[in-house]
Amino acid sequence: MRNKQISILFILILVLTACTSKEKTNEHLGEIYSIALDAMMEKDQALNSEMEFIAINMSTMKELSSKDKEEIIEFFEGKYGVEVMDADLEKLKEQGLYDSEKIAIRGVLLSFETVIFKYNNTVVFEGSKYHSALGAIGVEITVHFKDGKWQIKEAKETWVS
């Protein structure tokens, strides 16, 4: 009887361990954020026309290390061939990159308002892509770990201005 209980306990531990094994998101944050931000860039590409820069508001991305932030900036500079910076709208105004007459910037500003790390190797991002008061979108992007890599599960627009 005791051997049977030990066997059941051992099997239960194995099953629970197998079910909870997952890819460690904190080791891939730069990659995960880059994928989500790039999915945002793909939405409403008219906002990208004549863009001189990409600003990414990283002030809300508290879990990112400086190395993760550098990884994201390098990825975007390589892919889009424009200057990429860590800035919010206020900083862009201070740098003279905001046209108050047109209520627009000469690039795009990417921001995440909410990031939810789920238990099943899934991260849900809610944010916005801004070019002007009349040219902005809200997005919801889901990134998950599948087939050995982080990838987009879903990316959709949630609002348009």
Side-chain angles (χ1 to χ4, degrees):
M1 181 69 160
R2 177 118 171 104
N3 284 342
K4 188 175 182 181
Q5 289 175 333
I6 291 173
S7 296
I8 291 173
L9 180 61
F10 181 72
I11 291 171
L12 183 60
I13 290 171
L14 283 176
V15 168
L16 290 175
T17 304
C19 290
T20 60
S21 69
K22 62 180 196 174
E23 190 64 20
K24 294 181 180 176
T25 55
N26 61 343
E27 293 176 7
H28 301 275
L29 288 175
E31 176 186 3
I32 295 166
Y33 273 80
S34 293
I35 291 167
L37 289 162
D38 195 39
M40 189 183 297
M41 285 296 294
E42 298 298 320
K43 295 291 181 188
D44 198 346
Q45 291 193 12
L47 299 177
N48 301 355
S49 66
E50 299 181 29
M51 98 180 141
E52 296 176 15
F53 63 85
I54 299 171
I56 303 171
N57 182 1
M58 294 188 189
S59 66
T60 61
M61 302 175 187
K62 305 292 186 205
E63 57 279 336
L64 294 181
S65 68
S66 58
K67 182 181 175 222
D68 293 328
K69 291 176 182 181
E70 288 174 26
E71 179 182 337
I72 292 166
I73 289 171
E74 288 174 8
F75 171 80
F76 277 87
E77 286 177 340
K79 181 165 183 178
Y80 292 97
V82 296
E83 180 184 0
V84 179
M85 64 188 87
D86 176 2
D88 60 11
L89 191 56
E90 289 305 311
K91 188 172 180 181
L92 294 174
K93 287 178 182 179
E94 290 170 9
Q95 294 178 349
L97 298 172
Y98 177 81
D99 185 335
S100 58
E101 286 182 22
K102 294 181 182 178
I103 314 171
I105 58 175
R106 294 187 298 256
V108 294
L109 170 60
L110 309 177
S111 300
F112 289 129
E113 287 79 42
T114 307
V115 180
I116 301 167
F117 293 87
K118 300 209 172 187
Y119 65 92
N120 59 348
N121 291 327
T122 301
V123 185
V124 179
F125 297 86
E126 292 179 1
S128 61
K129 178 180 179 180
Y130 175 89
H131 174 69
S132 71
L134 299 175
I137 59 169
V139 295
E140 182 178 287
I141 299 163
T142 304
V143 177
H144 69 146
F145 191 77
K146 184 176 180 186
D147 300 329
K149 64 181 182 174
W150 290 97
Q151 55 190 312
I152 296 296
K153 182 176 182 181
E154 181 180 26
K156 61 184 177 182
E157 291 182 26
T158 56
W159 55 265
V160 178
S161 74

